[in-house]
Amino acid sequence: MKETTMVLEEHTRRAKAVLEEMDTSALPHGACGGHDAASCRTLRDLCLNWLQTRRGIVKRSTYSGYCYGIRIHILPYLGSVGLADMSGDMVLSFIEKMQEKGLADSTVRSTLTTFKTVLKFGVHLKLINKDILSHCSVNCSRPRSRVLTVQDSMGMKAYLLEQNTIFAVGILLCRGTGMRIGELCGLKWGDIDFSANIITVRRTISRIPNPDASLGQPRTVLYIRTPKSHTSMREIPIPRYLVKCLQDMRKEESEFVLTGRDSCTEPRNVQKRFKTILKRCEMHDCNFHAMRHGFATACLEKGIDCKTVSSILGHASTRTTMDFYVHTSLQQKQNCIDAIP
């Protein structure tokens, strides 16, 4: 019985493992971390050398994504192939294999992008013929995301206001500002300036494959980091109708808003509770990110300039806002047609 309890405690400890990004010195570009690039013989060797050049330069979440794509998709298919034997046909065959797996478009796109970058690294080291790159197309369609419009979510807004809980207020914050789910999870009371009624987005939380996994270590870790880009670290006005709610619920500055503790919750927990809310409000199923799409679309439909919307969302450019977060409604198309005399 005691042994079983110890096993369960150890399992819980591993499941709760957290990585928090700290200020660390990056490896210099081209560093191979002990691997000799000149000794690369197979694609596996090249992938490992390339990963060493990225370690410490990119965010851990990005590095973990590289590792996952290489380990799960690239190495099982091409890892043992000699660099001298690499051909355009092999590249095309791998791309076709990826597209036939029935994976999410985002997974295919990210894996092929990593694959092409590794090949470019090999060309730079003069280990691969540069002509191979012409066969490595990473074009992949982006799936059209579900949009939770502001109008469709009015019932949910009324329901959440009645709940009068910090979780309900958190959902409404994302609905009214376009904040990402990871940014909501990472929000602390100290990030809210009640004198100016402004939220400063300083961190985001996600669960990633453990980049340093070894025997006995958890396969995934909760990752607390700064936002994905400098534009994602931003100030957002609080919707006026939520200011008093937040003031009444505020706690110590060091505590996370959603939990009221020094420890945070994670996006998958918020996503599950969000799905429950949709069912209770008898709404169509969608993921949390649909509110972000809906916010961006509603802002532009109201005539708010794209630069302002892009700044609130934390996008690096207005093109990202227009291409991926703005969806033209049938009514807008009708208005456009009717505008022509």
Side-chain angles (χ1 to χ4, degrees), residues 40-98:
C40 287
R41 294 291 180 267
T42 65
L43 188 66
R44 177 185 176 80
D45 297 333
L46 186 64
C47 285
L48 294 178
N49 270 277
W50 177 77
L51 282 173
Q52 289 298 328
T53 69
R54 298 293 87 200
R55 191 181 184 91
I57 294 177
V58 299
K59 290 183 178 294
R60 284 174 177 159
S61 53
T62 302
Y63 181 78
S64 179
Y66 292 155
C67 292
Y68 182 83
I70 288 172
R71 178 171 58 87
I72 299 299
H73 300 297
I74 298 176
L75 295 187
Y77 193 74
L78 291 172
S80 62
V81 175
L83 297 180
D85 299 324
M86 284 290 296
S87 67
D89 287 341
M90 287 182 180
V91 171
L92 292 174
S93 177
F94 172 69
I95 293 173
E96 184 178 345
K97 183 80 171 178
M98 284 294 299

Side-chain angles (χ1 to χ4, degrees), residues 94-107:
F94 172 69
I95 293 173
E96 184 178 345
K97 183 80 171 178
M98 284 294 299
Q99 293 172 333
E100 290 176 350
K101 283 186 174 183
L103 301 168
D105 284 344
S106 58
T107 301

Side-chain angles (χ1 to χ4, degrees), residues 60-309:
R60 284 174 177 159
S61 53
T62 302
Y63 181 78
S64 179
Y66 292 155
C67 292
Y68 182 83
I70 288 172
R71 178 171 58 87
I72 299 299
H73 300 297
I74 298 176
L75 295 187
Y77 193 74
L78 291 172
S80 62
V81 175
L83 297 180
D85 299 324
M86 284 290 296
S87 67
D89 287 341
M90 287 182 180
V91 171
L92 292 174
S93 177
F94 172 69
I95 293 173
E96 184 178 345
K97 183 80 171 178
M98 284 294 299
Q99 293 172 333
E100 290 176 350
K101 283 186 174 183
L103 301 168
D105 284 344
S106 58
T107 301
V108 175
R109 189 187 310 109
S110 62
T111 301
L112 293 182
T113 298
T114 299
F115 179 56
K116 185 172 184 178
T117 305
V118 170
L119 293 183
K120 284 183 177 179
F121 179 65
V123 170
H124 174 71
L125 296 177
K126 298 182 179 180
L127 298 173
I128 294 179
N129 190 316
K130 67 178 181 179
D131 293 339
I132 286 181
L133 295 179
S134 63
H135 296 83
C136 193
S137 172
V138 297
N139 292 330
C140 187
S141 62
R142 287 180 178 267
R144 184 176 178 85
S145 300
R146 168 100 162 87
V147 178
L148 183 58
T149 67
V150 171
Q151 190 62 38
D152 288 342
S153 63
M154 288 299 291
M156 183 181 74
K157 176 184 176 182
Y159 170 79
L160 291 173
L161 286 174
E162 288 179 359
Q163 301 306 301
N164 195 33
T165 64
I166 191 57
F167 183 81
V169 173
I171 300 294
L172 291 173
L173 265 180
C174 292
R175 175 186 177 274
T177 66
M179 284 177 62
R180 300 176 177 93
I181 189 171
E183 294 169 345
L184 174 63
C185 292
L187 188 65
K188 291 186 177 183
W189 286 106
D191 301 324
I192 303 177
D193 181 354
F194 286 104
S195 62
N197 291 334
I198 287 174
I199 289 173
T200 301
V201 177
R202 292 190 172 95
R203 70 193 65 77
T204 186
I205 293 173
S206 58
R207 181 164 287 281
I208 64 172
N210 190 349
D212 300 309
S214 57
L215 186 63
Q217 295 299 311
R219 290 188 299 175
T220 64
V221 290
L222 202 58
Y223 184 35
I224 304 174
R225 60 179 172 85
T226 53
K228 57 194 294 187
S229 67
H230 71 281
T231 53
S232 292
M233 187 174 285
R234 61 201 188 279
E235 294 182 340
I236 307 174
I238 303 172
R240 285 192 176 92
Y241 74 95
L242 292 178
V243 171
K244 189 176 186 309
C245 296
L246 286 168
Q247 287 176 334
D248 293 342
M249 298 174 180
R250 68 190 298 182
K251 294 191 176 183
E252 295 297 324
E253 290 190 352
S254 63
E255 295 177 344
F256 287 93
V257 170
L258 287 188
T259 63
R261 301 190 301 271
D262 292 334
S263 59
C264 63
T265 188
E266 61 179 291
R268 64 182 178 185
N269 294 335
V270 176
Q271 185 77 269
K272 288 177 183 176
R273 294 181 65 179
F274 177 68
K275 296 278 189 178
T276 300
I277 290 170
L278 292 178
K279 290 179 180 178
R280 289 179 179 174
C281 294
E282 298 181 347
M283 298 171 62
H284 291 297
D285 184 54
C286 64
N287 62 33
F288 198 93
H289 205 73
M291 288 194 295
R292 184 169 164 87
H293 285 264
F295 171 80
T297 302
C299 286
L300 291 159
E301 285 179 350
K302 291 289 186 180
I304 301 171
D305 66 280
C306 188
K307 181 65 177 177
T308 298
V309 178

